[in-house]
Short mmCIF file of all heavy atoms in Angstrom, two decimals:
data_model
loop_
_atom_site.label_atom_id
_atom_site.label_comp_id
_atom_site.label_asym_id
_atom_site.label_seq_id
_atom_site.Cartn_x
_atom_site.Cartn_y
_atom_site.Cartn_z
N PRO A 1 100.30 -74.41 91.19
CA PRO A 1 99.62 -74.32 92.49
C PRO A 1 98.57 -75.42 92.58
O PRO A 1 98.11 -75.93 91.56
CB PRO A 1 98.99 -72.92 92.45
CG PRO A 1 98.79 -72.64 90.99
CD PRO A 1 99.95 -73.30 90.29
N MET A 2 98.19 -75.78 93.79
CA MET A 2 97.20 -76.84 93.91
C MET A 2 96.40 -76.71 95.20
O MET A 2 96.84 -76.07 96.16
CB MET A 2 97.87 -78.22 93.86
CG MET A 2 98.79 -78.55 95.02
SD MET A 2 99.42 -80.25 94.94
CE MET A 2 100.28 -80.25 93.37
N ILE A 3 95.21 -77.31 95.16
CA ILE A 3 94.41 -77.48 96.35
C ILE A 3 94.68 -78.88 96.89
O ILE A 3 94.69 -79.86 96.13
CB ILE A 3 92.90 -77.34 96.04
CG1 ILE A 3 92.61 -75.95 95.46
CG2 ILE A 3 92.06 -77.60 97.28
CD1 ILE A 3 92.88 -74.81 96.41
N THR A 4 94.93 -79.00 98.17
CA THR A 4 95.12 -80.29 98.80
C THR A 4 94.03 -80.50 99.84
O THR A 4 93.37 -79.56 100.28
CB THR A 4 96.50 -80.39 99.48
OG1 THR A 4 96.58 -79.39 100.51
CG2 THR A 4 97.61 -80.16 98.47
N GLY A 5 93.84 -81.75 100.23
CA GLY A 5 92.85 -82.01 101.25
C GLY A 5 92.49 -83.47 101.34
O GLY A 5 93.22 -84.35 100.85
N THR A 6 91.35 -83.74 101.96
CA THR A 6 90.85 -85.09 102.12
C THR A 6 89.37 -85.14 101.78
O THR A 6 88.65 -84.14 101.91
CB THR A 6 91.04 -85.60 103.56
OG1 THR A 6 90.43 -84.68 104.47
CG2 THR A 6 92.51 -85.73 103.89
N VAL A 7 88.93 -86.31 101.35
CA VAL A 7 87.52 -86.58 101.08
C VAL A 7 87.06 -87.65 102.07
O VAL A 7 87.71 -88.69 102.20
CB VAL A 7 87.32 -87.09 99.64
CG1 VAL A 7 85.89 -87.57 99.44
CG2 VAL A 7 87.66 -86.00 98.64
N THR A 8 85.97 -87.38 102.78
CA THR A 8 85.47 -88.36 103.73
C THR A 8 83.95 -88.29 103.81
O THR A 8 83.33 -87.38 103.27
CB THR A 8 86.09 -88.16 105.13
OG1 THR A 8 85.82 -89.31 105.94
CG2 THR A 8 85.51 -86.92 105.80
N TYR A 9 83.34 -89.26 104.48
CA TYR A 9 81.93 -89.23 104.84
C TYR A 9 81.80 -89.91 106.19
O TYR A 9 82.74 -90.57 106.66
CB TYR A 9 81.07 -89.93 103.78
CG TYR A 9 81.53 -91.30 103.36
CD1 TYR A 9 81.31 -92.42 104.15
CD2 TYR A 9 82.24 -91.47 102.16
CE1 TYR A 9 81.75 -93.68 103.77
CE2 TYR A 9 82.68 -92.73 101.78
CZ TYR A 9 82.44 -93.83 102.58
OH TYR A 9 82.88 -95.06 102.21
N LEU A 10 80.66 -89.74 106.86
CA LEU A 10 80.55 -90.12 108.25
C LEU A 10 79.64 -91.31 108.52
O LEU A 10 79.33 -91.60 109.67
CB LEU A 10 80.08 -88.91 109.08
CG LEU A 10 81.02 -87.70 109.00
CD1 LEU A 10 80.44 -86.53 109.76
CD2 LEU A 10 82.39 -88.05 109.55
N VAL A 11 79.21 -92.00 107.48
CA VAL A 11 78.46 -93.23 107.69
C VAL A 11 79.41 -94.41 107.61
O VAL A 11 80.46 -94.33 106.96
CB VAL A 11 77.32 -93.38 106.65
CG1 VAL A 11 76.35 -92.24 106.75
CG2 VAL A 11 77.88 -93.50 105.24
N ARG A 12 79.05 -95.51 108.25
CA ARG A 12 79.92 -96.70 108.23
C ARG A 12 79.63 -97.47 106.96
O ARG A 12 78.72 -98.30 106.88
CB ARG A 12 79.67 -97.55 109.47
CG ARG A 12 80.11 -96.89 110.76
CD ARG A 12 79.81 -97.78 111.95
NE ARG A 12 80.53 -99.05 111.86
CZ ARG A 12 80.29 -100.08 112.66
NH1 ARG A 12 79.36 -99.99 113.58
NH2 ARG A 12 80.97 -101.20 112.52
N MET A 13 80.42 -97.20 105.96
CA MET A 13 80.22 -97.83 104.66
C MET A 13 81.57 -98.03 103.99
O MET A 13 82.35 -97.09 103.86
CB MET A 13 79.33 -96.95 103.79
CG MET A 13 79.20 -97.42 102.35
SD MET A 13 78.04 -96.40 101.42
CE MET A 13 78.28 -97.08 99.77
N ALA A 14 81.85 -99.25 103.60
CA ALA A 14 83.09 -99.54 102.88
C ALA A 14 82.95 -99.05 101.44
O ALA A 14 81.94 -99.31 100.79
CB ALA A 14 83.38 -101.02 102.91
N LEU A 15 83.94 -98.33 100.97
CA LEU A 15 83.91 -97.78 99.62
C LEU A 15 84.44 -98.82 98.63
O LEU A 15 85.54 -99.37 98.80
CB LEU A 15 84.78 -96.52 99.56
CG LEU A 15 84.59 -95.59 98.36
CD1 LEU A 15 83.14 -95.11 98.28
CD2 LEU A 15 85.54 -94.40 98.47
N GLN A 16 83.64 -99.11 97.59
CA GLN A 16 84.07 -100.09 96.60
C GLN A 16 85.30 -99.61 95.84
O GLN A 16 85.46 -98.42 95.60
CB GLN A 16 82.94 -100.36 95.61
CG GLN A 16 81.76 -101.11 96.23
CD GLN A 16 80.50 -100.27 96.26
OE1 GLN A 16 80.51 -99.17 96.80
NE2 GLN A 16 79.43 -100.80 95.70
N PRO A 17 86.19 -100.52 95.45
CA PRO A 17 87.41 -100.13 94.75
C PRO A 17 87.15 -99.35 93.47
O PRO A 17 87.94 -98.49 93.07
CB PRO A 17 88.10 -101.46 94.46
CG PRO A 17 87.57 -102.39 95.50
CD PRO A 17 86.16 -101.97 95.73
N GLU A 18 86.03 -99.67 92.79
CA GLU A 18 85.74 -99.00 91.52
C GLU A 18 85.04 -97.66 91.68
O GLU A 18 84.72 -96.99 90.69
CB GLU A 18 84.90 -99.91 90.63
CG GLU A 18 83.48 -100.17 91.14
CD GLU A 18 83.39 -101.37 92.05
OE1 GLU A 18 84.43 -101.77 92.61
OE2 GLU A 18 82.28 -101.92 92.20
N ALA A 19 84.78 -97.24 92.91
CA ALA A 19 84.11 -95.96 93.13
C ALA A 19 84.94 -94.82 92.53
O ALA A 19 86.16 -94.78 92.67
CB ALA A 19 83.91 -95.71 94.61
N ALA A 20 84.26 -93.90 91.84
CA ALA A 20 84.93 -92.75 91.22
C ALA A 20 84.77 -91.53 92.11
O ALA A 20 83.66 -91.17 92.50
CB ALA A 20 84.32 -92.47 89.84
N ILE A 21 85.88 -90.90 92.44
CA ILE A 21 85.90 -89.71 93.28
C ILE A 21 86.21 -88.51 92.40
O ILE A 21 87.23 -88.50 91.71
CB ILE A 21 86.93 -89.83 94.41
CG1 ILE A 21 86.65 -91.10 95.24
CG2 ILE A 21 86.93 -88.59 95.29
CD1 ILE A 21 87.73 -91.43 96.24
N ASP A 22 85.34 -87.53 92.40
CA ASP A 22 85.44 -86.36 91.52
C ASP A 22 85.55 -85.12 92.39
O ASP A 22 84.61 -84.77 93.12
CB ASP A 22 84.20 -86.30 90.62
CG ASP A 22 84.24 -85.12 89.63
OD1 ASP A 22 85.14 -84.28 89.74
OD2 ASP A 22 83.34 -85.04 88.78
N VAL A 23 86.70 -84.45 92.34
CA VAL A 23 86.93 -83.22 93.10
C VAL A 23 87.14 -82.09 92.10
O VAL A 23 87.91 -82.25 91.14
CB VAL A 23 88.15 -83.34 94.03
CG1 VAL A 23 88.27 -82.09 94.91
CG2 VAL A 23 88.06 -84.59 94.88
N ARG A 24 86.48 -80.96 92.31
CA ARG A 24 86.58 -79.88 91.34
C ARG A 24 86.62 -78.51 92.01
O ARG A 24 86.06 -78.32 93.08
CB ARG A 24 85.43 -79.93 90.35
CG ARG A 24 84.05 -79.92 90.99
CD ARG A 24 82.94 -79.91 89.94
NE ARG A 24 82.99 -81.08 89.07
CZ ARG A 24 82.27 -81.20 87.96
NH1 ARG A 24 81.45 -80.23 87.60
NH2 ARG A 24 82.37 -82.29 87.22
N ILE A 25 87.34 -77.59 91.36
CA ILE A 25 87.34 -76.18 91.74
C ILE A 25 86.38 -75.45 90.82
O ILE A 25 86.43 -75.63 89.60
CB ILE A 25 88.74 -75.55 91.62
CG1 ILE A 25 89.77 -76.31 92.45
CG2 ILE A 25 88.71 -74.07 92.04
CD1 ILE A 25 91.20 -75.85 92.21
N GLU A 26 85.51 -74.61 91.40
CA GLU A 26 84.55 -73.87 90.60
C GLU A 26 84.60 -72.39 90.94
O GLU A 26 84.81 -72.01 92.10
CB GLU A 26 83.13 -74.40 90.82
CG GLU A 26 82.93 -75.83 90.34
CD GLU A 26 81.55 -76.34 90.61
OE1 GLU A 26 80.84 -75.75 91.46
OE2 GLU A 26 81.13 -77.35 89.98
N ASP A 27 84.41 -71.57 89.93
CA ASP A 27 84.28 -70.13 90.11
C ASP A 27 82.81 -69.84 90.38
O ASP A 27 81.95 -70.07 89.53
CB ASP A 27 84.74 -69.40 88.84
CG ASP A 27 84.77 -67.88 88.99
OD1 ASP A 27 83.98 -67.35 89.79
OD2 ASP A 27 85.56 -67.23 88.29
N VAL A 28 82.50 -69.33 91.58
CA VAL A 28 81.12 -69.08 91.97
C VAL A 28 80.87 -67.59 92.20
O VAL A 28 80.03 -67.21 93.00
CB VAL A 28 80.77 -69.88 93.24
CG1 VAL A 28 80.79 -71.37 92.96
CG2 VAL A 28 81.74 -69.55 94.38
N SER A 29 81.57 -66.76 91.44
CA SER A 29 81.48 -65.32 91.64
C SER A 29 80.13 -64.74 91.26
O SER A 29 79.67 -63.77 91.87
CB SER A 29 82.58 -64.62 90.83
OG SER A 29 83.85 -65.12 91.18
N LEU A 30 79.49 -65.32 90.25
CA LEU A 30 78.22 -64.78 89.76
C LEU A 30 77.06 -65.53 90.40
O LEU A 30 76.86 -66.72 90.15
CB LEU A 30 78.15 -64.88 88.24
CG LEU A 30 79.25 -64.11 87.47
CD1 LEU A 30 79.09 -64.32 85.97
CD2 LEU A 30 79.18 -62.63 87.81
N ALA A 31 76.28 -64.82 91.21
CA ALA A 31 75.18 -65.45 91.93
C ALA A 31 74.05 -65.89 91.01
O ALA A 31 73.32 -66.82 91.30
CB ALA A 31 74.63 -64.49 92.99
N ASP A 32 73.90 -65.22 89.88
CA ASP A 32 72.78 -65.52 88.97
C ASP A 32 73.22 -66.34 87.76
O ASP A 32 72.54 -66.37 86.74
CB ASP A 32 72.12 -64.22 88.50
CG ASP A 32 73.09 -63.28 87.81
OD1 ASP A 32 74.31 -63.53 87.90
OD2 ASP A 32 72.65 -62.30 87.19
N ALA A 33 74.37 -67.01 87.87
CA ALA A 33 74.87 -67.81 86.75
C ALA A 33 75.44 -69.12 87.30
O ALA A 33 75.85 -69.20 88.46
CB ALA A 33 75.95 -67.06 85.98
N PRO A 34 75.44 -70.18 86.48
CA PRO A 34 76.00 -71.44 86.94
C PRO A 34 77.48 -71.30 87.29
O PRO A 34 78.19 -70.46 86.73
CB PRO A 34 75.81 -72.36 85.73
CG PRO A 34 74.73 -71.73 84.91
CD PRO A 34 74.88 -70.26 85.12
N ALA A 35 77.94 -72.12 88.24
CA ALA A 35 79.36 -72.12 88.60
C ALA A 35 80.20 -72.53 87.38
O ALA A 35 79.78 -73.35 86.57
CB ALA A 35 79.61 -73.07 89.76
N LYS A 36 81.38 -71.94 87.26
CA LYS A 36 82.26 -72.21 86.13
C LYS A 36 83.40 -73.11 86.58
O LYS A 36 84.11 -72.83 87.54
CB LYS A 36 82.82 -70.89 85.59
CG LYS A 36 83.68 -71.06 84.34
CD LYS A 36 84.15 -69.69 83.85
CE LYS A 36 85.02 -69.84 82.60
NZ LYS A 36 85.50 -68.52 82.11
N LEU A 37 83.57 -74.22 85.87
CA LEU A 37 84.62 -75.18 86.21
C LEU A 37 86.00 -74.60 85.93
O LEU A 37 86.27 -74.10 84.84
CB LEU A 37 84.43 -76.47 85.41
CG LEU A 37 85.44 -77.59 85.66
CD1 LEU A 37 85.34 -78.10 87.09
CD2 LEU A 37 85.22 -78.72 84.67
N VAL A 38 86.88 -74.69 86.91
CA VAL A 38 88.26 -74.21 86.77
C VAL A 38 89.22 -75.40 86.66
O VAL A 38 90.11 -75.40 85.81
CB VAL A 38 88.65 -73.32 87.98
CG1 VAL A 38 90.13 -72.92 87.90
CG2 VAL A 38 87.77 -72.08 88.03
N ALA A 39 89.07 -76.39 87.50
CA ALA A 39 89.93 -77.59 87.45
C ALA A 39 89.19 -78.75 88.05
O ALA A 39 88.32 -78.58 88.91
CB ALA A 39 91.25 -77.33 88.19
#
């Protein structure tokens, strides 16, 4: 299974080729604990 989508921003700025894009799924079930990385 997978999450699909798009990443964007709304300022007029060209993104450098070497820019690193990091997308992650987190478990945020516990309000009093840090989010847990899933993927």
Side-chain angles (χ1 to χ4, degrees):
M2 66 175 60
I3 300 296
T4 62
T6 55
V7 171
T8 193
Y9 49 78
L10 300 176
V11 299
R12 293 179 61 190
M13 173 176 173
L15 196 59
Q16 291 114 305
E18 67 271 21
I21 304 171
D22 182 352
V23 186
R24 55 177 60 191
I25 303 172
E26 295 178 342
D27 185 332
V28 294
S29 304
L30 299 179
D32 57 348
K36 184 178 180 181
L37 180 65
V38 175

